[in-house]
Amino acid sequence: MIDKTSPMPLYFQIEEAIKQKIDKGEWESETMIPSEREFAENYEVSRMTVRQAINNLVNDGYLTRQKGKGTFVSAKKIEQKLLGLTSFTEDMKSRGLRPASRLISFQKTTAENRVAKALEIKEDQIIYEIKRVRLANDIPMAFETTYVPSDLLELNESHIKQGSLYSEVENAGFVIDYATQSLEASISREAESEILEITKGAAVLLIKRQTYLTTGRPLELVQSVYRGDRYKFMIDMKR
């Protein structure tokens, strides 16, 4: 219950009460919460106060609104530590999730200037362009575009559909050394929203990765759009 004599704002007390239910597991992921009217009657406050509490929790990622349905506890986000170089497939398996990919397109094309620079090849050199949706337990997590020099190794559509690109590279005798990666916040565009099954303008993470072999040669340039409501990155820091 809330304390109306407390100097703590009522909406904040309601927020904390809802957070407790979520954190203790009383309300599980994707469970619909009571309506604003029910909260208002239960706590004997105005619906405006309840609405402010719920809006804050939606903004903080605890709750999700579904148009025409109601407000739900947000699905738990997958955490990925920014340590070590792993593929999406390896990362999902390590969390006990079932990884999968849905191939959108696989083609040979010519490298435009920005891609050629990243792969350290000549502009207009032939490369593989691979567009995939990455899934965990059948839920779309990321839309990924990968560029690989075609003279490095032979790839075909069945290889990409069957498993991890990194496995194919290592099976071909190459050793993957390191990668540089950048992350930035953005909002989803229409095409990405449709593929990832999110609303247009939803929060996403844009991730760019350049991966290198032990020979020093670039293996790939990957540009990914990750769902902000399903994924978060963690980093351990020491002073």
Side-chain angles (χ1 to χ4, degrees), residues 112-120 127-130 144-149 165-166 180 182 207-212 218-224:
E112 58 183 65
N113 182 263
R114 64 179 180 84
V115 176
K117 282 184 176 180
L119 295 177
E120 298 177 14
I127 58 171
Y128 293 106
E129 181 191 75
I130 307 159
E144 181 181 277
T145 303
T146 305
Y147 304 98
V148 179
L165 173 61
Y166 282 11
T180 60
S182 65
I207 301 174
K208 180 180 176 182
R209 176 190 282 188
Q210 291 170 256
T211 308
Y212 297 82
L219 163 66
E220 64 174 358
L221 169 65
V222 185
Q223 296 172 323
S224 305

Side-chain angles (χ1 to χ4, degrees), residues 85-147:
L85 178 55
T86 57
S87 69
F88 179 88
T89 300
E90 292 166 340
D91 194 44
M92 293 304 105
K93 284 182 177 178
S94 72
R95 285 162 172 72
L97 300 173
R98 188 177 64 257
S101 294
R102 186 165 69 240
L103 190 63
I104 302 297
S105 66
F106 175 89
Q107 64 175 342
K108 281 186 176 181
T109 186
T110 54
E112 58 183 65
N113 182 263
R114 64 179 180 84
V115 176
K117 282 184 176 180
L119 295 177
E120 298 177 14
I121 58 177
K122 293 179 180 178
E123 192 172 348
D124 294 332
Q125 185 171 321
I126 301 300
I127 58 171
Y128 293 106
E129 181 191 75
I130 307 159
K131 293 183 182 289
R132 295 180 287 182
V133 182
R134 312 310 298 267
L135 306 101
N137 290 352
D138 298 323
I139 297 171
M141 292 290 172
F143 174 48
E144 181 181 277
T145 303
T146 305
Y147 304 98

Side-chain angles (χ1 to χ4, degrees), residues 154-201:
E154 186 69 30
L155 294 174
N156 60 54
E157 195 168 315
S158 63
H159 289 157
I160 302 304
K161 283 182 176 178
Q162 287 170 7
S164 167
L165 173 61
Y166 282 11
S167 295
E168 290 299 321
V169 170
E170 290 169 339
N171 289 340
F174 296 102
V175 180
I176 299 170
D177 189 10
Y178 72 98
T180 60
Q181 184 165 282
S182 65
L183 299 86
E184 60 182 293
S186 186
I187 57 174
S188 63
R189 296 173 295 183
E190 187 171 352
E192 298 159 350
S193 301
E194 188 175 337
I195 289 170
L196 293 174
E197 299 175 11
I198 55 178
T199 57
K200 181 182 176 183

